[in-house]
Amino acid sequence: MDSLSEKLLWEDKEIRFDTPNVQNHLRRGEKVLDTIYHIEDTKGNAGDTGRLLATNLRVIWYSLSHKKYNLSIGYGRFVNTNTRSVVSKAGGPTQALYILATGSNTRFEFLFADISGDTARKDQPIFQSIFEIYHLYQRTYLYRDLKLRGAIILSGQLIIMPEEMVCNNVNGVWNLSSDQGNLGTFVVTNIRLVWFADANETFNISLPYLQISNIRIRESKYGPALVIQTAETGGGYVLGFRIDPVERLNDIYRELVSFHAIYSENPNFGVCYDSTEAQKRLAKMKDTEELKTEEFQEIDNRQEREVNTKLNTYLAEGTAVAGTEAAVREPVYCKELGFAMERIRDGYKLQDLWDVLPRVEDD
C-alpha cells in the first residue's frame, strides 16, 4: 500500500558543518525560538562575527563575514554545556557559551563568545535561553522518539502530554511480536500511536508519527495484519497488529494514514518556549536576588566583642608582686548573690566584675 516515507529527522541528532544556507532551511515544525547577535565561533572561525540561533531542535551558528561557514548542533548530541568567561580581542573579559558534544564516535568542543563589546551585556545572561530550551528538549522526548515499556499508562488511561489530544481508543488489538500474541489497546492521538497490553500496562509502545516510515496491511500467519515500520532513527522496527474484523482493520489503517499525513504537514516537537516570558522571569529573579539595604538594620558589634577591661584590671591589681604576698580581705555578706564573698576593693562595683562582656547601655 501507500508508502509514508519522509526525510528522516536528523536536525536534533547530528552535528553538521558548513551546510549551505542552513539558517534558512529549517525543517517543517522547526522554529527559531531565540537569536543571539554578535557571536563568534572562537574555536572554528575566530574573528568572524556571526549569529547564534536556538531552535526547538538544535543550535545554529552562521558567519556574517563568510556565508559558507556555519554549524548545526542537535540537542541530542549535547553532552555538557555551560558559560565561561574568556578574554576578548579588546583585552577585556566577555561571556562565552561552551558546548561539549559527540557525533560519529568523535567528541567536539565548541566555544561561542560574545564579541559585541557592549559592556551592558557583560553581566546579562545572554545565553540563558540556550539552557532553558535544551532542558525543555530533554523533557519532551516522547514527542519525537519511540519509547518501549515506558511509564505512560496510569490505571488504564494514557498520560496526556501538553497539546496532545486523544482521537480514538481501539480495544481488542493483538500485538504479534510474540508467537502467542498479546491482547491490548490502541490509543490514537494527534501526536503518536500508543499500544499497551491489557494484562500488563508496562508492556507498551509509544510511537510518534514522526518515527513512522510506512503503514500498510499485509497477510500474516494470523490473517490480515496492520504492519507499521519505524524509521531508522526509531530503531527500524517492523510492528505487526491484528484487528478483527477486517473492515475494522481497514478503518484503523485509513485513520492512521490520515493522522500521519496531517502531522507531517505541521509536526509538533514538544518544545514550547516563549522568549518574552523568559525575559520577564529573569528580570523578576534578578530583582529578588538584589539585597535592599533599607530592609536591614546595621548593627555595630565591635563593642560587644571587647573583653571587660574592668574585670581584667581588678584581677591584675589583686595579684601579688613577685617576692610579696597578696593582701587578704575579710569576707562580707552580699545581698545580691545571697552568700559571703571577699570585700570588693574601692572604686569597683559588683556589676563591673559580674559581666565578662561589657554591658551595652541603651540610648
Side-chain angles (χ1 to χ4, degrees), residues 202-254:
T202 61
F203 183 40
N204 58 56
I205 179 171
S206 172
L207 179 58
Y209 298 127
L210 184 67
Q211 295 296 346
I212 295 177
S213 66
N214 190 281
I215 303 175
R216 62 187 184 274
I217 295 176
R218 59 179 292 185
E219 287 294 327
S220 71
K221 62 180 180 179
Y222 303 101
L226 178 70
V227 178
I228 300 176
Q229 184 173 352
T230 69
E232 293 179 14
T233 52
Y237 297 104
V238 178
L239 308 172
F241 302 94
R242 177 184 168 187
I243 304 174
D244 295 323
V246 175
E247 293 77 15
R248 187 166 175 242
L249 172 62
N250 289 325
D251 290 341
I252 299 302
Y253 164 76
R254 286 190 291 267

Side-chain angles (χ1 to χ4, degrees), residues 22-38:
V22 64
Q23 68 275 14
N24 296 324
H25 292 165
L26 302 182
R27 188 184 187 87
R28 283 185 180 178
E30 186 177 13
K31 302 174 183 177
V32 175
L33 303 179
D34 197 14
T35 302
I36 308 174
Y37 299 90
H38 308 296

Side-chain angles (χ1 to χ4, degrees), residues 290-303:
E290 289 180 351
L291 294 177
K292 299 179 180 178
T293 55
E294 63 269 15
E295 296 180 1
F296 300 92
Q297 180 182 359
E298 185 175 348
I299 301 174
D300 186 0
N301 292 321
R302 287 174 296 178
Q303 183 180 6

Side-chain angles (χ1 to χ4, degrees), residues 47-321:
D48 281 11
T49 300
R51 292 177 184 171
L52 197 64
L53 309 181
T55 81
N56 46 350
L57 294 175
R58 54 182 166 164
V59 167
I60 297 172
W61 178 87
Y62 64 97
S63 171
L64 297 177
S65 306
H66 301 87
K67 300 298 183 182
K68 65 177 182 179
Y69 295 155
N70 58 68
L71 289 169
S72 172
I73 312 169
Y75 295 128
R77 298 287 91 198
F78 279 31
V79 175
N80 185 29
T81 181
N82 55 56
T83 55
R84 298 181 176 183
S85 179
V86 298
V87 179
S88 66
K89 285 187 175 182
T94 187
Q95 290 188 73
L97 174 69
Y98 171 79
I99 298 175
L100 174 62
T102 60
S104 302
N105 299 320
T106 305
R107 291 163 64 93
F108 297 93
E109 289 187 337
F110 302 97
L111 194 66
F112 301 104
D114 172 26
I115 57 172
S116 65
D118 186 354
T119 55
R121 292 195 358 163
K122 188 169 62 175
D123 298 322
Q124 294 179 355
I126 61 174
F127 298 111
Q128 183 64 28
S129 61
I130 305 290
F131 300 111
E132 294 185 354
I133 295 169
Y134 173 52
H135 291 153
L136 287 172
Y137 172 87
Q138 290 180 303
R139 296 196 297 266
T140 55
Y141 66 93
L142 287 175
Y143 287 84
R144 303 174 302 273
D145 298 325
L146 180 148
K147 177 67 176 176
L148 299 173
R149 298 180 180 271
I152 59 174
I153 306 295
L154 181 62
S155 301
Q157 298 295 321
L158 176 66
I159 300 174
I160 303 300
M161 302 184 297
E163 299 185 350
E164 184 177 29
M165 298 181 295
V166 173
C167 303
N168 195 3
N169 283 281
V170 184
N171 299 317
V173 179
W174 288 90
N175 187 328
L176 305 179
S177 59
S178 61
D179 291 337
Q180 71 274 18
N182 288 282
L183 183 62
T185 301
F186 264 162
V187 182
V188 182
T189 81
N190 59 325
I191 292 172
R192 55 180 170 162
L193 171 65
V194 174
W195 179 90
F196 64 92
D198 294 340
N200 182 7
E201 295 176 352
T202 61
F203 183 40
N204 58 56
I205 179 171
S206 172
L207 179 58
Y209 298 127
L210 184 67
Q211 295 296 346
I212 295 177
S213 66
N214 190 281
I215 303 175
R216 62 187 184 274
I217 295 176
R218 59 179 292 185
E219 287 294 327
S220 71
K221 62 180 180 179
Y222 303 101
L226 178 70
V227 178
I228 300 176
Q229 184 173 352
T230 69
E232 293 179 14
T233 52
Y237 297 104
V238 178
L239 308 172
F241 302 94
R242 177 184 168 187
I243 304 174
D244 295 323
V246 175
E247 293 77 15
R248 187 166 175 242
L249 172 62
N250 289 325
D251 290 341
I252 299 302
Y253 164 76
R254 286 190 291 267
E255 183 178 35
L256 291 178
V257 170
S258 175
F259 278 119
H260 185 280
I262 294 171
Y263 177 86
S264 298
E265 288 295 320
N266 186 24
N268 184 344
F269 299 121
V271 180
C272 297
Y273 179 79
D274 188 332
S275 58
T276 303
E277 289 299 320
Q279 292 297 328
K280 291 180 181 178
R281 289 197 305 272
L282 287 173
K284 186 176 181 180
M285 289 171 59
K286 185 177 180 180
D287 291 341
T288 57
E289 288 176 354
E290 289 180 351
L291 294 177
K292 299 179 180 178
T293 55
E294 63 269 15
E295 296 180 1
F296 300 92
Q297 180 182 359
E298 185 175 348
I299 301 174
D300 186 0
N301 292 321
R302 287 174 296 178
Q303 183 180 6
E304 294 185 4
R305 290 195 297 268
E306 294 175 357
V307 179
N308 189 340
T309 54
K310 288 187 177 181
L311 174 61
N312 288 341
T313 303
Y314 185 88
L315 293 175
E317 290 177 355
T319 302
V321 180

